[in-house]
Amino acid sequence: MEQRNILVLGAGGQLGTELVRELRAVHGPGRVIASDIREKPEMSEGGPFEQLDILNQKGLGDLFNRQKISQVYLLAALLSASGELRPGEAWDLNMRGLLQVLELARQHHCQVFWPSSIAVFGHSAPRISCPNEAVQEPSTVYGISKSAGELWCRYYFERYGVDVRSVRYPGLISYEAVPGGGTTDYAVEIFEAAVSGRHYPCYLRADTRLPMMYMPDAIRAALEIMAAPAARLSVRTSYNVAAVSFTPRLIAASIQRHIPELSWESVPDYRQKIAESWPGSIDDSLARHDWNWKPRYGIKEITDDMIAHVTPEKSQQMMEKI
Ligand code: SER
């Protein structure tokens, strides 16, 4: 049978970096094409790499024509905090990027993974255990693009049969690549400050609770929903996936079990308002029911593993890449 490839768009970001590595380990390096707007020498060493702006419609179309693609992971996006600084750009990238990929997936019969976010929810949604089908009144351009994007995904599935699958990620914590422009990034930055002995001015208030997830769980969620039998998926907008829920005070205390000298304070900025518009925890019982989703990392496991991997050198390299 003809071999078809997997394409990861936005491969150089926080999620993409680790997802590409995992996909290459599972399917073989030659079958996973990583693509990013920026050149990524470390990625091209491990397999095929295409430097491409997903808003370059012709370039994207050519890529689909050249490569036989069976699955696309569309990760290129502007997140919540950057999106508020550049609303027009965020809308354009997040929306036009998605529509172009959905259209190409329709023409080339590809399966699509597209991450949505807790940012689809706003003040009118329940703060605790926010259900999958809660009302969506997002407060950010990022959230509006994710909310509209979910409906486009379902539209392409219902109207054209495009097999597009999605999860609503909480804040993602990882040590391989820096998160870029999210409201939940503090949960990575505080580890970097702790291991390198820097004082950390946290831009959220100490008691601001948000849902979070460790990267290995996030990668597994993507792979598991993509592998689930289509008949099991009752939701074609997006599934809540939960893991942990904590505040800056709680994660700082967890880090201080390892590094008691961690010094930090709360200096809220515009991101505080964004965080306050999101639920503090989400209910993922539908994902658990439909495709057996189950997180593995709690706050203790996340802290222990982050402390074991974030070194002062790595933290310095990550800060330089920002
Ligand atoms: N981590 C994202 C953000 O903060 C939420 O999806 O924007």
Side-chain angles (χ1 to χ4, degrees):
M1 217 178 90
E2 182 190 37
Q3 176 170 298
R4 293 181 73 193
N5 298 319
I6 299 169
L7 174 64
V8 182
L9 297 166
Q14 187 194 13
L15 181 59
T17 302
E18 297 196 41
L19 183 65
V20 166
R21 204 181 45 202
E22 186 61 25
L23 286 169
R24 284 180 172 163
V26 174
H27 299 279
R31 277 197 59 199
V32 180
I33 304 156
S35 174
D36 200 273
I37 192 168
R38 292 155 296 184
E39 216 178 316
K40 291 276 163 188
E42 63 284 7
M43 261 184 188
S44 33
E45 281 158 25
F49 178 80
E50 299 266 350
Q51 187 176 359
L52 180 73
D53 177 353
I54 62 158
L55 295 183
N56 172 354
Q57 195 170 2
K58 182 173 178 315
L60 195 61
D62 288 348
L63 178 58
F64 275 78
N65 285 333
R66 251 186 299 122
Q67 304 278 0
K68 299 260 168 285
I69 292 164
S70 57
Q71 275 193 345
V72 191
Y73 290 79
L74 170 54
L75 311 178
L78 226 61
L79 298 191
S80 62
S82 325
E84 290 313 282
L85 303 177
R86 294 176 276 161
E89 203 183 312
W91 178 255
D92 197 34
L93 173 64
N94 298 0
M95 237 36 263
R96 196 147 61 87
L98 173 62
L99 290 177
Q100 280 174 185
V101 168
L102 287 175
E103 195 43 36
L104 286 164
R106 179 177 79 80
Q107 292 164 17
H108 294 265
H109 309 286
C110 309
Q111 195 192 23
V112 181
F113 175 80
W114 176 78
S116 184
S117 162
I118 53 164
V120 298
F121 298 118
H123 287 289
S124 42
R127 316 284 319 144
I128 306 295
S129 293
C130 180
N132 217 88
E133 60 284 0
V135 60
Q136 296 186 9
E137 285 189 299
S139 64
T140 58
V141 176
Y142 174 67
I144 299 171
S145 71
K146 289 295 183 188
S147 184
E150 287 188 5
L151 295 173
W152 274 111
C153 288
R154 189 173 65 188
Y155 181 87
Y156 263 77
F157 171 71
E158 288 178 349
R159 174 139 190 212
Y160 303 117
V162 176
D163 187 6
V164 44
R165 303 174 177 207
S166 175
V167 297
R168 290 181 192 133
Y169 282 128
L172 299 182
I173 301 172
S174 68
Y175 54 84
E176 287 289 346
V178 274
T183 301
T184 53
D185 296 3
Y186 90 86
V188 173
E189 294 168 3
I190 195 167
F191 280 96
E192 291 160 2
V195 297
S196 47
R198 277 183 293 112
H199 175 75
Y200 183 59
C202 178
Y203 55 78
L204 294 185
R205 274 208 285 276
D207 57 354
T208 308
R209 182 173 284 277
L210 286 172
M212 299 278 181
M213 179 179 285
Y214 202 36
M215 188 57 81
D217 276 339
I219 301 286
R220 204 164 42 75
L223 299 185
E224 285 180 5
I225 194 173
M226 287 297 269
R232 294 291 305 271
L233 302 182
S234 64
V235 174
R236 286 293 182 158
T237 48
S238 193
Y239 282 95
N240 284 2
V241 284
V244 292
S245 157
F246 58 72
T247 63
R249 182 177 288 127
L250 280 171
I251 195 70
S254 184
I255 295 171
Q256 279 163 338
R257 284 188 302 109
H258 298 264
I259 306 174
E261 319 72 74
L262 166 64
S263 149
W264 70 287
E265 69 186 314
S266 209
V267 189
D269 68 10
Y270 71 101
R271 288 169 280 192
Q272 179 65 36
K273 231 172 99 190
I274 301 177
E276 278 170 15
S277 75
W278 292 350
S281 62
I282 56 176
D283 178 313
D284 62 359
S285 44
L286 256 177
R288 288 175 186 254
H289 173 268
D290 285 6
W291 44 280
N292 300 325
W293 161 247
K294 199 171 184 310
R296 292 186 185 151
Y297 289 80
I299 186 165
K300 180 179 180 304
E301 292 79 17
I302 294 174
T303 308
D304 294 352
D305 205 55
M306 284 292 282
I307 296 285
H309 288 95
V310 181
T311 58
E313 298 71 43
K314 187 147 199 155
S315 154
Q316 186 57 33
Q317 283 167 12
M318 284 169 78
M319 297 316 288
E320 281 164 8
K321 275 206 256 166
I322 296 179

